[in-house]
Amino acid sequence: MKYLDEYRDPAIARALARRINSAANRRWVVMEICGGQTHTLMRYGIDEMIPNAVELVHGPGCPVCVTPLELIDKAIAISRMPDVIFTSYGDMLRVPGSDMDLFGARANGADVRIVYSPLDALKIASANPGQRIVFFGVGFETTAPANAMAILQAAEHGIANFSMLVSHVLVPPAMRLILESPAHRVQGFIAPGHVCAIAGFSAYEDLAREFNIPIVVGGFEPVDLLEAIAMLVEQLESGRAELENQYSRSVSRTGNIAAQQAVSRVFTVSDRKWRGIGEIGRSGLRLRDEFLRFDAEKVFHLGPLAVEEPKECRSALVLQGLLKPGECGAFGERCTPMTPLGAPMVSSEGACAAWYRYKRHA
Amino acid sequence: MLGHGSGGRLSAELIRDIFLPAFSNPILDRLDDQAVLDIKGLRLAFTTDSFVVQPLIFPGGDIGSLAVHGSVNDLAMAGAWPLYLSAAFIAEEGLSRETLRRMARSMAAAASDAGVAIVTGDTKVVQKGKGDGLFITTTGIGLVPEGLRLSADQARPGDLVILSGSIGEHGIAILSSREGLEFETAIESDSAALHTLVAQMLGASRNIRCMRDPTRGGLSSALNEIAAQSRVSIRIDEKRIPVRDQVRGACELLGLDPLYVANEGKLVAVAAPEAADDIVDAMRRHPLGREADVIGVVGADHPGLVTMWTAFGSSRIVDLLPGDQLPRIC
């Protein structure tokens, strides 16, 4: 398949691994930001191709994982209200809330539906005028444009029975938090290619300069990631700290201007709580005041919820690259995809799920 | 919960925790897709299956033809020649007479093509909102050739794993015809009756240990069941597992793994190594087995574990999923 097979070619991958192994005179610590990248690295065993050159630590880029527990609880509470059809990407349904997950709410009679796009949720709203349709608007810069379009269309067509439970987060503030943490060991970043395809990469140029750290925008296939790692190792070995773009087939400096305009018409930057990590200033998006009538928290009069994270789940450390999933005492024993303590074990982009699926040897 | 019907780990738990303790007997405890009964010298295969698919009509088939193929295939996986089916219908109030007639015609055509007769049945109607259009349950009986004993606990180290063709088409056809997900290319379900293919395989060699049709839970679940029940490991080679480009594309887009996507017209067999070539040759002469190939090998280490040698050259675990695969966010 074009644009896929050439980026999964084992001969090209082996050549890149040789390039990395011969460039590295010591072992460098590299963090991939995006959970999709984590899964590729684990699935293809890339860490095992370059064990002496690079230690890979996994970053916070799993939208499902960083959605705060109280938002999950709010989603479940809304889904159980009368005349509500609660719509969500499939990923979110298995994430444990305080008492249950959205699958549990559905089993208890709530109308919870998986959709593939917020625009599908909007269609459901048009077709069911007597019901209240809520979409769970989570994600990074990648999902924000489609969510913005859904709000704009709801406003334009006067679809008043549609609202969105918003928990949008942004990547650069999370990277800044990691870089400002005294415990961090990261020496180079693979920046998230799809986020940059939307937002461009100038914010990452600023981070590279400010913190004097190399950053390479990387894709999601094994050859992409090996090439990005090679570029990082070569920068580190030669003492450079620049922004480079490995994923140039999708990413430009400016990104997708039309998508950015839709996002900034609908959303404004706000403080956001990240699951396990806590509040990060100006790290997320909320609906602008003129669109607050589509804010599910307002529509359903939900106040702030005080909930406590399960103590045994150490996902906050995993999400900041301070702990590997396999180093967690609960991993694979008390915490499995069947009995998850936290979201990283059930999300398709979660680091714990990737380890459980690909790195567990019986 | 819905995941308990997914064919994954939750389904297995439900069977282990509730049905096995309640009904336990030596025939059921084998956990095959059918029971094989010795009745006065006659060996009968006996199976039942319920069908709850939405939409009722999908590219490449409908719930009627699927209900026939499903039970025919469960019989065929014991090496049985299917003879008779029963059909029970639970229709939701409001289902149109025309739809029901169309499903009945489709079942009749599928049964006639497969050479089985639908000889008894039942109809119930439930209140609007208490069903999902139409549920069909079929039960089948068939004749097992003398001396043949296929069961998922029969695989032995050194055996080879054979797959009849490309995977994932049924599941993706269903997904693509659901509301809100329209693909530009139509992928058709592979729904088909497999007993003539099985007969051709048994004609080539009796040295087959077991067969499964990888329906819910896909190829991965079928292999995991065999590995667990035979207490062996199975190692498959990704490069030898055919996946159509459209299925691959859809899976890439949605973040699904074709190994876990349902099939309704494919089989996976474990055979003695010396018999595998003859069996594959025989399969390739049948229209439903043209792409048949050896895809893996049975080992003695790590009983119950299925691993895959990837096209990329690495190895990974092919585990049972907790429930259905979920499309990802981005």
Side-chain angles (χ1 to χ4, degrees):
Chain A
M1 192 173 289
K2 204 165 157 28
Y3 302 119
L4 216 52
D5 291 329
E6 60 266 50
Y7 296 101
R8 292 180 188 171
D9 185 314
I12 300 173
R14 277 194 299 272
L16 284 164
R18 277 195 299 273
R19 182 173 141 195
I20 294 165
N21 286 325
S22 67
N25 289 308
R26 50 162 291 187
R27 195 167 186 236
W28 299 100
V29 179
V30 164
M31 174 182 274
E32 82 282 357
I33 292 293
C34 176
Q37 293 168 330
T38 306
H39 272 252
T40 302
L41 292 169
M42 298 299 113
R43 177 171 182 164
Y44 291 92
I46 285 171
D47 51 336
E48 288 160 29
M49 298 171 81
I50 46 173
N52 300 317
V54 173
E55 179 189 346
L56 292 163
V57 294
H58 318 308
C62 163
V64 171
C65 304
V66 300
T67 300
L69 186 55
E70 57 257 43
L71 248 300
I72 309 281
D73 287 350
K74 282 179 182 175
I76 292 164
I78 292 172
S79 76
R80 304 177 84 175
M81 290 185 186
D83 304 320
V84 166
I85 301 175
F86 193 88
T87 60
S88 171
Y89 293 120
D91 269 29
M92 293 303 299
L93 271 62
R94 217 173 265 146
V95 179
S98 294
D99 299 321
M100 64 169 83
D101 58 20
L102 280 162
F103 273 127
R106 184 165 82 179
N108 285 320
D111 191 344
V112 177
R113 302 186 191 179
I114 293 174
V115 293
Y116 301 94
S117 150
L119 299 175
D120 293 338
L122 210 53
K123 272 189 216 159
I124 295 174
S126 303
N128 297 278
Q131 307 270 90
R132 302 183 287 177
I133 284 67
V134 184
F135 179 73
F136 205 169
V138 299
F140 285 94
E141 291 88 330
T142 34
T143 53
N147 290 349
M149 283 310 295
I151 297 288
L152 288 173
Q153 289 191 11
E156 186 185 343
H157 300 298
I159 304 174
N161 63 332
F162 175 78
S163 63
M164 197 176 282
L165 184 61
V166 177
S167 182
H168 263 297
V169 282
L170 303 169
V171 169
M175 284 175 69
R176 177 173 290 277
L177 181 91
I178 288 166
L179 286 165
E180 285 171 349
S181 149
H184 97 84
R185 299 160 52 227
V186 182
Q187 294 166 305
F189 283 103
I190 304 174
H194 290 153
V195 166
C196 294
I198 301 292
F201 58 69
S202 60
Y204 301 85
E205 285 177 316
D206 298 343
L207 284 172
R209 244 192 319 272
E210 184 180 338
F211 291 92
N212 193 37
I213 189 163
I215 302 177
V216 174
V217 181
F220 295 80
E221 297 302 328
V223 165
D224 287 320
L225 288 162
L226 280 162
E227 192 178 22
I229 293 167
M231 291 161 80
L232 280 172
V233 168
E234 283 160 2
Q235 281 205 47
L236 287 162
E237 287 289 342
S238 62
R240 287 180 294 130
E242 297 161 10
L243 185 287
E244 290 182 301
N245 182 14
Q246 181 276 329
Y247 201 36
S248 57
R249 67 183 184 279
S250 303
V251 175
S252 67
R253 169 179 276 104
T254 49
N256 182 333
I257 304 285
Q260 292 166 23
Q261 283 169 343
V263 170
S264 60
R265 267 186 70 192
V266 172
F267 295 108
T268 182
V269 173
S270 69
D271 301 344
R272 270 276 168 211
K273 196 174 168 195
W274 294 53
R275 186 168 192 169
I277 297 174
E279 185 145 309
I280 306 179
R282 297 181 61 74
S283 69
L285 299 172
R286 68 164 178 84
L287 287 166
R288 285 188 181 279
D289 291 345
E290 60 188 290
F291 294 108
L292 282 182
R293 65 186 186 282
F294 296 109
D295 184 341
E297 294 195 57
K298 300 270 184 303
V299 171
F300 294 92
H301 309 290
L302 293 175
L305 268 180
V307 291
E308 233 174 277
E309 299 277 349
K311 283 196 178 58
E312 200 177 4
C313 181
R314 303 171 77 193
S315 63
L317 296 177
V318 172
L319 288 166
Q320 295 173 81
L322 299 174
L323 183 79
K324 300 241 167 67
E327 296 163 0
C328 174
F331 177 81
E333 307 279 333
R334 286 174 310 286
C335 183
T336 70
M338 296 282 293
T339 54
L341 292 173
M345 185 52 94
V346 288
S347 165
S348 64
E349 294 182 79
C352 301
W355 273 60
Y356 190 87
R357 195 148 172 208
Y358 301 122
K359 285 193 80 75
R360 201 169 35 100
H361 297 291
Chain B
M1 299 215 319
L2 272 174
H4 285 114
S6 66
R9 202 173 282 285
L10 280 170
S11 305
E13 264 193 11
L14 208 60
I15 292 167
R16 197 187 58 222
D17 292 350
I18 296 182
F19 297 122
L20 272 184
F23 304 141
S24 179
N25 61 64
I27 301 171
L28 180 71
D29 293 352
R30 284 213 302 269
L31 288 176
D32 282 320
D33 288 342
Q34 67 301 110
V36 175
L37 314 168
D38 277 302
I39 303 175
K40 296 187 174 166
L42 209 60
R43 296 191 71 221
L44 285 179
F46 181 45
T47 190
T48 189
D49 210 340
S50 296
F51 297 84
V52 293
V53 63
Q54 266 304 331
L56 296 177
I57 300 165
F58 48 83
D62 55 55
I63 192 173
S65 55
L66 190 65
V68 171
H69 295 154
S71 280
V72 164
N73 291 346
D74 281 347
L75 296 171
M77 293 308 108
W81 189 259
L83 299 171
Y84 299 107
L85 296 183
S86 75
F89 301 86
I90 299 175
E92 185 186 8
E93 200 176 16
L95 179 77
S96 81
R97 190 171 275 269
E98 190 41 50
T99 305
L100 198 56
R101 185 175 286 123
R102 189 171 163 185
M103 293 308 112
R105 283 201 192 114
S106 166
M107 282 186 89
S112 152
D113 286 348
V116 295
I118 298 171
V119 292
T120 182
D122 181 49
T123 311
K124 297 278 188 297
V125 178
V126 294
Q127 274 175 29
K128 181 120 190 114
K130 299 274 166 78
D132 197 9
L134 181 64
F135 301 146
I136 302 179
T137 299
T138 53
T139 299
I141 54 169
L143 214 48
V144 183
E146 215 173 310
L148 190 69
R149 180 170 158 8
L150 304 183
S151 182
D153 61 6
Q154 298 291 304
R156 305 172 201 170
D159 285 350
L160 297 177
V161 181
I162 299 167
L163 176 67
S164 68
S166 57
I167 58 166
E169 281 137 51
H170 177 72
I172 296 296
I174 296 290
L175 255 186
S176 72
S177 54
R178 281 195 188 143
E179 193 188 358
L181 190 70
E182 287 100 18
F183 295 130
E184 283 169 23
T185 46
I187 298 160
E188 292 207 338
S189 166
D190 59 346
S191 179
L194 292 165
H195 58 299
T196 56
L197 175 65
V198 170
Q200 206 148 311
M201 294 165 70
L202 289 169
S205 171
R206 284 286 192 98
N207 249 333
I208 297 174
R209 316 281 194 215
C210 63
M211 284 188 273
R212 280 279 155 117
D213 55 337
T215 54
R216 285 174 321 174
L219 183 60
S220 154
S221 292
L223 294 174
N224 271 286
E225 284 167 19
I226 294 170
Q229 283 167 49
S230 294
R231 299 176 208 284
V232 293
S233 63
I234 294 178
R235 186 168 187 77
I236 54 174
D237 181 352
E238 185 175 27
K239 282 204 293 263
R240 305 186 81 152
I241 301 170
V243 184
R244 297 251 175 286
D245 266 358
Q246 290 112 311
V247 171
R248 231 185 117 190
C251 285
E252 288 291 339
L253 204 66
L254 298 170
L256 306 177
D257 184 338
L259 288 177
Y260 298 91
V261 180
N263 311 274
E264 291 291 348
K266 297 297 175 332
L267 69 82
V268 60
V270 175
E274 66 276 11
D277 282 348
D278 290 344
I279 294 167
V280 168
D281 285 346
M283 291 171 83
R284 287 181 180 166
R285 288 194 296 273
H286 190 282
L288 295 175
R290 285 216 176 88
E291 291 181 281
D293 206 349
V294 170
I295 60 156
V297 60
V298 176
D301 55 326
H302 302 310
L305 189 73
V306 180
T307 56
M308 181 165 79
W309 193 253
T310 70
F312 188 69
S314 54
S315 173
R316 70 172 172 96
I317 296 172
V318 178
D319 204 0
L320 273 183
L321 291 184
D324 284 314
Q325 291 193 93
L326 301 175
R328 67 176 167 212
I329 285 186
C330 61

